Amino acid sequence: MDFLTGTTTDQAPANPNATDDILASQPIGYWSGQAHAVVTRHLRDAMAGIDVTQPQYWVLNSVKYQPAAPSRDEIAAQLLPLADGQHEIPRVVAQLLHRGWLRTDATDHLYLTDAGEAARTRLRELVTDLRAVVHDGISDDDYAATLKVLRRMISNIEAAGKP
C-alpha cells in the first residue's frame, strides 16, 4: 500500500483504450479532463445551432433563480468560477441586455424579460435533451456515485493543501 495515496494501484500513463481491468490505474486528470471537454463541446455545439452560448444560459438561470433581483456584480461574482476570465460574464450580461432578454431597473439590478424567460425555457429543454444523451445507459445511482467520488477527490486535494 502506498503511504501517500492509500492505494495499492500504480498509476499508468493515460490510455484512451484502457480495458476495464486496468481502469483503476488510469489518471483521473486525464479522464475528468476528457469528460469535461467532450460534454462541454457537445453542449456548446448544440447551443451554437440556436445562436446561444453556455455562459448566456448560466446568466439567464442565475437571474431566474436568485431570491432577489441580482446586480451585475453579483452575477459576475457568482459565475466567475465557471467563466473564461473575469470579463466574460459582464460581456454576456451586456449581450443579453442588447438582445432584450434581460432588463435593469434604476438600481442596475437584473430581471428576465418575457423574451429572456422564453429563451431560458427553450434552452432548458435543449439541455434536458442533451443530458439524456450524456446519461444514456447510466443509472441515477451510478451517476450520483461518480459525483460522490469526484467530490471526495476534490476534498482530499483541498485538505492536503499545497505541496
Side-chain angles (χ1 to χ4, degrees):
M1 181 171 211
D2 186 314
F3 172 74
L4 294 177
T5 64
T7 181
T8 58
T9 305
D10 286 336
Q11 179 147 333
N15 179 355
N17 300 313
T19 57
D20 288 356
D21 61 317
I22 64 169
L23 283 178
S25 70
Q26 289 293 288
I28 186 61
Y30 171 78
W31 287 98
S32 62
Q34 286 294 101
H36 173 78
V38 169
V39 169
T40 300
R41 184 173 47 250
H42 179 68
L43 183 66
R44 289 182 176 187
D45 287 351
M47 288 181 172
I50 58 171
D51 194 28
V52 179
T53 67
Q54 187 181 31
Q56 289 172 339
Y57 181 55
W58 299 336
V59 169
L60 292 172
N61 269 335
S62 293
V63 171
K64 168 76 175 180
Y65 292 109
Q66 293 291 319
S71 69
R72 293 178 193 225
D73 289 343
E74 289 168 334
I75 289 294
Q78 177 189 353
L79 296 175
L80 180 60
L82 301 173
D84 290 334
Q86 68 181 5
H87 302 292
E88 181 177 37
I89 300 305
R91 285 183 191 123
V92 167
V93 169
Q95 292 167 344
L96 295 173
L97 287 164
H98 178 75
R99 275 192 175 189
W101 289 2
L102 290 178
R103 67 174 179 81
T104 59
D105 64 11
T107 61
D108 211 28
H109 285 85
L110 300 168
Y111 300 86
L112 285 175
T113 64
D114 290 343
E117 176 57 18
R120 192 198 64 77
T121 300
R122 281 192 314 274
L123 283 163
R124 178 78 176 205
E125 291 168 4
L126 173 66
V127 169
T128 298
D129 291 346
L130 295 171
R131 185 180 193 278
V133 170
V134 173
H135 289 247
D136 185 37
I138 302 168
S139 71
D140 285 349
D141 287 343
D142 284 348
Y143 180 72
T146 300
L147 295 186
K148 286 178 185 178
V149 167
L150 291 171
R151 187 167 52 189
R152 176 60 186 264
M153 288 178 171
I154 292 165
S155 176
N156 290 344
I157 292 165
E158 289 174 343
K162 293 183 179 178

